[in-house]
Amino acid sequence: MKDLVFNYNGVLDYVSKKEIAAYEDKAKQALKDLIDNTGAGNDFTGWVNYPLEIQEKELQEINEVAKNIRKQSHCLVVIGIGGSYLGAKAAIEMFSPYFSNLTKNNFEIIFLGNNISAGYLEGALKYLKNVDFSVNVISKSGKTLEPALAFRFVKELMIEKYGAEYAKRVVVTTSNHHSILHEEALKEGYKEFFIPDNIGGRYSVFTAVGLLPIACMGYDVYDLIRGAINSCQDFKTLPYQENPCMQYAAIRNILYNKKYTNEIMASFDPKLTYFGEWWKQLYGESEGKDHKGVLPIVLSYSTDLHSLGQYVQDGMRNIFETFVDFAHEKTALPIKENNEDLDGLNYLAGKDVKFVKDQALKGTMEAHISGGVPAMLIQVKDNSPYTFGYLAYFFMLSCGISGYLLGVNPFNQEGVEAYKKNMYALLKK
Ligand code: PA5
């Protein structure tokens, strides 16, 4: 199978092939504007070519620092919010085995600074007292309240535990100017990685922002970047008729203009739930502006079929759905014949649990489509770093195209400042 297969048959009752074809010129122009740097927000499109441009030296350094962190600690604390942590979290959740926080080498990762819950921070500090840990503070601006506050407490604990040597356990990922975190790193002697000026948080997973935590967990960042490079080369060059990246962007805009204003990313694999959270931020923060934009919603099936499933099937008809699926999941759970058949499941004997999931996906899509929910299916092979790189780049490029088609600047986020302004006023900053 190809690295990514896009099936949009499930929208054709709602959107005609002619309407999709009519978007060709606009989608091509949007892609061209991204590549040529001629669209809105063009000072933040460094991510478009970044997988091709990332230096071998940078990757080596990331791996070396990760190796060192694993040597000196049993836990990495990643402190960051929004685009500064969601990519790494999504990747690690996708690669990690279930029911184990620890990789085979007894190493774990925890994420702090992504909320302002006192209980969460207190719980983490209590936990970290008895754990040997290092920290990666990630903030491009260096001044975001949530991570800064968490780091202040964690730093205090580190000084208590490790004395002056604590600084050797801190790695900062930030901008190399206009960042007070960078100033602090210089003063305290923390190791630093720099985020390129022209890459915003939610487009930064292929920089050290995403790669260092991923490498610390022992996953192959070279493979991940290889996936992103291939995705970049494929989707920048494929003609519109064969290009899922332009087609996905076009179809969601056509649906939006027909008042389908909510998009659900649905998956039957819990390993994709955080990928959905990453996607939600990417699309929500990129497109939700000027009183426009599709509202991205993440659902995990079949869990959510027993909750929001009712709404999806039968509620307001302003939803479309994008399913993401691992086509080649490697599991072996054959269902055996049981003499008593007390649970009445013998009709499944000889089948595999994956087969059951595949039929559930098919049946759900058909039910939703016939119930008034246009649906698309994106299939990738597996949950490997390569696939993550391929899929994440696909959604990033498509998001840029989609934002331009919608007529917004996909690379700013001025709306996020409103809550900060009120909060800082109340805090008397
Ligand atoms: O995508 C974005 O730009 C945001 O979500 C940021 O990543 C988030 O607000 C954190 O910002 P910073 O990295 O400056 O702390």
Side-chain angles (χ1 to χ4, degrees):
M1 123 183 219
K2 286 191 202 156
D3 288 324
L4 185 147
V5 176
F6 179 54
N7 183 333
Y8 62 81
N9 287 338
V11 304
L12 294 178
D13 287 345
Y14 305 89
V15 174
S16 68
K17 284 196 171 159
K18 212 168 140 201
E19 284 172 296
I20 300 172
Y23 256 72
E24 175 168 354
D25 289 347
K26 281 187 268 184
K28 276 166 45 182
Q29 184 59 48
L31 176 60
K32 188 170 176 326
D33 282 338
L34 280 174
I35 296 170
D36 296 348
N37 242 338
T38 45
N42 57 359
D43 41 349
F44 279 97
T45 49
W47 57 272
V48 175
N49 281 328
Y50 195 72
L52 307 168
E53 288 165 359
I54 188 167
Q55 301 289 312
E56 170 67 21
K57 202 171 133 258
E58 172 96 346
L59 291 173
Q60 269 174 13
E61 204 180 346
I62 286 171
N63 271 340
E64 269 161 35
V65 171
K67 209 167 130 196
N68 195 33
I69 288 175
R70 290 176 73 94
K71 218 159 69 193
Q72 70 186 359
S73 309
H74 290 300
C75 173
L76 176 69
V77 181
V78 172
I79 301 181
I81 194 164
S84 286
Y85 91 104
L86 278 165
K89 172 95 175 156
I92 291 163
E93 293 273 313
M94 182 161 149
F95 311 151
S96 299
Y98 286 118
F99 304 110
S100 166
N101 239 352
L102 307 176
T103 57
K104 35 186 186 307
N105 297 324
N106 260 353
F107 190 81
E108 69 174 327
I109 190 159
I110 67 170
F111 291 88
L112 292 186
N114 54 54
N115 61 55
I116 321 183
S117 156
Y120 187 87
L121 183 57
E122 192 180 46
L125 292 167
K126 237 184 233 167
Y127 178 70
L128 290 172
K129 262 194 178 143
N130 304 312
V131 175
D132 219 2
F133 68 94
S134 297
V135 173
N136 181 199
V137 196
I138 310 172
S139 175
K140 187 175 179 195
S141 63
K143 61 176 187 201
T144 308
L145 176 73
E146 292 88 338
L149 191 61
F151 184 46
R152 178 176 279 220
F153 280 91
V154 170
K155 180 174 162 182
E156 212 175 280
L157 173 65
M158 291 180 96
I159 294 171
E160 221 177 83
K161 272 179 83 142
Y162 305 113
E165 293 288 287
Y166 94 95
K168 292 193 180 139
R169 291 172 177 264
V170 180
V171 181
V172 157
T173 310
T174 188
S175 161
N176 64 359
H177 49 262
H178 312 305
S179 160
I180 51 169
L181 190 56
H182 171 51
E183 303 300 319
E184 179 176 341
L186 286 178
K187 187 162 173 283
E188 303 286 293
Y190 307 147
K191 166 78 195 149
E192 284 188 280
F193 285 98
F194 295 121
I195 308 167
D197 284 349
N198 57 1
I199 300 185
R202 58 193 176 276
Y203 293 87
S204 69
V205 63
F206 300 123
T207 71
V209 170
L211 298 184
L212 181 62
I214 292 168
C216 283
M217 290 303 283
Y219 297 114
D220 188 345
V221 293
Y222 282 91
D223 216 28
L224 190 146
I225 291 294
R226 206 167 51 81
I229 289 173
N230 286 353
S231 186
C232 171
Q233 284 167 340
D234 287 352
F235 299 124
K236 271 165 55 175
T237 54
L238 282 169
Y240 181 72
Q241 292 73 11
E242 294 160 38
N243 192 322
C245 208
M246 282 193 271
Q247 289 169 350
Y248 173 62
I251 291 169
R252 59 198 304 287
N253 272 273
I254 298 168
L255 287 167
Y256 174 73
N257 289 329
K258 292 182 181 224
K259 306 278 179 257
Y260 291 92
T261 54
N262 301 291
E263 179 180 12
I264 292 170
M265 175 179 277
S267 162
F268 277 76
D269 201 316
K271 280 185 188 298
L272 282 164
T273 303
Y274 253 94
F275 189 85
E277 291 299 318
W278 170 83
W279 165 87
K280 179 176 90 182
Q281 190 221 356
L282 179 65
Y283 280 75
E285 209 167 44
S286 296
E287 291 195 322
K289 44 199 73 156
D290 308 335
H291 295 181
K292 296 198 271 193
V294 172
L295 174 71
I297 300 160
V298 187
L299 294 186
S300 184
Y301 292 162
S302 63
T303 310
D304 282 318
L305 289 177
H306 296 259
S307 76
L308 273 188
Q310 170 61 38
Y311 191 103
V312 180
Q313 188 66 47
D314 228 7
M316 281 269 286
R317 299 299 71 190
N318 57 1
I319 305 166
F320 64 99
E321 223 170 0
T322 301
F323 286 82
V324 180
D325 185 47
F326 297 133
H328 292 181
E329 190 194 16
K330 285 193 200 89
T331 53
L333 284 180
I335 302 165
K336 294 178 199 132
E337 181 94 26
N338 179 288
N339 284 344
E340 291 187 279
D341 195 25
L342 292 177
D343 51 14
L345 289 180
N346 268 357
Y347 72 98
L348 293 174
K351 306 281 192 321
D352 192 274
V353 176
K354 181 174 181 317
F355 173 82
V356 178
K357 188 275 295 181
D358 287 343
Q359 308 322 303
L361 186 140
K362 208 167 156 228
T364 305
M365 271 190 86
E366 280 169 11
H368 290 177
I369 293 164
S370 58
V373 179
M376 298 172 262
L377 172 63
I378 292 171
Q379 283 181 301
V380 287
K381 285 182 196 153
D382 52 28
N383 64 330
S384 64
Y386 176 89
T387 295
F388 178 91
Y390 199 90
L391 187 61
Y393 188 88
F394 162 83
F395 277 117
M396 283 160 57
L397 191 64
S398 200
C399 184
I401 299 170
S402 184
Y404 282 166
L405 290 177
L406 185 66
V408 298
N409 172 358
F411 309 116
N412 62 6
Q413 55 282 326
E414 281 153 24
V416 180
E417 295 310 312
Y419 98 91
K420 292 187 191 167
K421 222 175 118 201
N422 286 353
M423 177 178 72
Y424 288 136
L426 291 165
L427 292 170
K428 310 224 180 308
K429 187 181 178 189

